[in-house]
Amino acid sequence: MYVLTYSVVFVLLLCSLLFVLTAAVCPGAKLTVSELAELGNKNCTVIEGSLELNVDPGSGSGVISPLESVVQITGSLLVSNLEEVIDSLGQILPNLAVIRSQPAFGTPHGVFGLYVYRNSHLRSIGLRSLTHILGNSRVLLWDNMALMFGSSTVDWVRLTQGNSPLTNDRGGGLCNKSLCRGSCWEENVCQQILPDDCYAVDKNGDCSCHSECLSKCYGPSARDCLACRHFYYNGSCVLTCPHGTY
């Protein structure tokens, strides 16, 4: 049985690049759909490590318990063999903003921050809050034969800071051009593209956040960041770790 533990981060002499400010942190895990509720009940904002989601082939459908509080995964996100259980990853991770890929998922074909493989009824990737996949990693979308929105409708090069996806999925979905500027998670759900040299935006979509913020912020200071570009220390995002910290 999967045993879940978690902790709230109170940083004294710890300087870390892993955490969202005032974060409830849960360890990375390999979970089936039926185990999502246990993790969701912990209200984790950070998954420290990689998160792998799957079901055994032929196990049938189940009730989805979304991980609504999760905004950051420090490792990779791997999704496979969900069959008819879901048609969008947004049903599970609607607020995921950052995948750090530390470590990335390594294969003979490269290293991947997002690895989506053989989900027969998946229609869209749907990670509408995702703005960054870090670690110089790539995205793999493979053998998701029903996937319409994701392989060609999402600007993965911007999300990964320059890496094109590895995919054999046919795509075919079209963004609503009256709403979206060329890229979308679903027909009427536009992909948020941050301006060049802008790493985080406020609630209005403006690039007014502190320069050490990543993805989003709730105010102008380095204490108001959803996640940190570099390091987290004593309640704030910082460029470098102070002397004597680790």
Side-chain angles (χ1 to χ4, degrees), residues 186-207:
E186 297 175 6
E187 179 181 1
N188 296 312
V189 180
C190 305
Q191 181 185 2
Q192 183 179 34
I193 300 294
L194 273 59
D196 292 339
D197 300 321
C198 178
Y199 296 94
V201 293
D202 61 22
K203 63 180 180 180
N204 297 317
D206 296 327
C207 192

Side-chain angles (χ1 to χ4, degrees), residues 96-112:
L96 178 65
V98 177
I99 298 174
R100 289 195 176 271
S101 311
Q102 297 181 354
F105 179 63
T107 77
H109 304 290
V111 293
F112 299 94

